[in-house]
Amino acid sequence: MEQTKALDALEPFLALSKSAVHPRAAADLITQATSAPNTYVFAELLQQPHIQALASNEQFASYLNLLRIFSYGTYQSYQTDAASLPALNEAQVLKLRQLTLLTLARDQSNLSYDALQKELQLSLARELEELVITVIYAGLVHATLDPARQVVQVTSVAPLRDLSPGSIPGMITALNNWSERCTSTLSDLEAQIQSIRAAAAVCEKEKRVAEKKMQALVGDARESEKKDLPGGDALPRRGINKRSMVDAANPAHDEMMDLDDPSAAEEQKKRSSKRKM
């Protein structure tokens, strides 16, 4: 979103650059673009033919160099070559310091007040804090000030700096290295997945074998129980023997059986008569 705003802010200057045929007009256009609010990217303006033509003009070539610093340089870059560059107005000083802060904020390892003041050439901590606040309000960074520890804590930085010449090969190398690490990591993950799947298959096979063994043991146990039970022909004999034992233990039963026989009944009467006598 911030990048879109910055490109929209640069659009009028791109249109004007098409008619900036005279070197003075092109130089003035650079001063206006780098002083305007909300202009933070300048790569497209830097590529315009009339702006590039300043490189061959001894009088105004320094304006092209100034635009390059605003595009991808820092405040220190300007100070190093200040003698050969156009003087900055107040708006340009603020803009270049803001852009420098964007670059410095990408390296969160050293965002102490002392380090930032040195890079931005600010003598007072209050000046640094005011600069950081302007960048925060502009939506260029998300950060908080920590006066107690004298550090700036940055959580995110808007992509509003142009790439310097020669940075693309380095970025490609870094991306290739990152890609190789990702490929290696994915290969390791794939190998681990295959190992897990193989272990799961072995466990499943062992489980099936164990289940078959258990089923076989249960079947053997049932067969053994059937063999221990008496056969069908043993049941009647067991019943007869039991009845015989009951009859032997019950004489009354024998008497009842004898009463059914006539001779036995007569004999029984004679015995009863003798007992009465």
Side-chain angles (χ1 to χ4, degrees):
M1 185 176 180
E2 292 80 9
Q3 199 169 31
T4 301
K5 290 181 179 180
L7 291 172
D8 290 342
L10 188 66
E11 191 62 34
F13 301 103
L14 294 176
L16 291 172
S17 68
K18 300 182 185 303
S19 59
V21 179
H22 195 280
R24 167 58 69 181
D28 290 342
L29 184 62
I30 290 173
T31 301
Q32 295 171 24
T34 53
S35 302
N38 302 320
T39 54
Y40 298 102
V41 290
F42 303 97
E44 289 192 48
L45 182 61
L46 193 59
Q47 295 170 3
Q48 297 303 309
H50 295 315
I51 301 298
Q52 285 292 319
L54 294 177
S56 59
N57 187 292
E58 184 177 353
Q59 183 179 358
F60 297 104
S62 58
Y63 284 86
L64 179 61
N65 293 333
L66 179 65
L67 183 60
R68 288 171 178 155
I69 290 175
F70 271 86
S71 184
Y72 47 78
T74 64
Y75 194 75
Q76 285 281 16
S77 303
Y78 174 82
Q79 292 298 327
T80 300
D81 297 325
S84 60
L85 295 170
L88 301 178
N89 58 39
E90 291 185 5
Q92 286 177 309
V93 170
L94 175 61
K95 177 68 63 64
L96 188 54
R97 279 175 169 160
Q98 289 175 329
L99 292 171
T100 301
L101 186 57
L102 290 182
T103 298
L104 297 174
R106 293 173 182 171
D107 181 9
Q108 300 185 25
S109 62
N110 192 10
L111 292 179
S112 65
Y113 278 28
D114 289 341
L116 293 175
Q117 285 178 236
K118 181 179 179 180
E119 289 290 335
L120 298 168
Q121 296 193 9
L122 296 171
S123 58
L124 301 175
R126 182 59 184 170
E127 293 176 330
L128 173 63
E129 292 173 346
E130 290 176 352
L131 177 65
V132 173
I133 290 172
T134 64
V135 174
I136 293 173
Y137 283 160
L140 306 182
V141 298
H142 290 88
T144 55
L145 294 168
D146 189 349
R149 295 194 301 150
Q150 294 284 289
V151 295
V152 178
Q153 297 178 333
V154 177
T155 55
S156 65
V157 182
L160 294 176
R161 294 308 316 263
D162 299 314
L163 297 176
S164 60
S167 62
I168 292 179
M171 291 181 63
I172 292 174
T173 300
L175 289 173
N176 286 336
N177 293 336
W178 175 77
S179 177
E180 290 175 359
R181 288 196 299 271
C182 289
T183 301
S184 176
T185 301
L186 289 174
S187 298
D188 292 341
L189 289 174
E190 184 64 26
Q192 292 180 16
I193 291 172
Q194 293 298 331
S195 177
I196 292 171
R197 287 176 177 173
V202 171
C203 289
E204 183 64 23
K205 183 178 180 181
E206 291 177 350
K207 180 180 178 181
R208 289 197 298 267
V209 171
E211 288 177 350
K212 289 182 179 179
K213 288 182 178 180
M214 181 61 69
Q215 292 174 359
L217 290 174
V218 171
D220 293 343
R222 289 177 178 174
E223 289 295 329
S224 178
E225 289 178 357
K226 289 180 180 180
K227 291 179 180 179
D228 291 341
L229 290 174
D233 56 343
L235 292 175
R237 288 197 301 271
R238 178 179 294 181
I240 293 171
N241 293 336
K242 183 176 182 181
R243 183 173 179 180
S244 301
M245 293 173 65
V246 171
D247 292 344
N250 190 0
H253 179 73
D254 291 340
E255 291 180 358
M256 293 180 65
M257 293 295 293
D258 293 341
L259 288 176
D260 292 338
D261 187 356
S263 59
E266 184 64 26
E267 183 66 26
Q268 183 67 27
K269 287 179 181 181
K270 288 179 179 181
R271 291 176 183 174
S272 298
S273 298
K274 288 180 180 182
R275 281 198 228 48
K276 289 179 181 180
M277 290 176 66

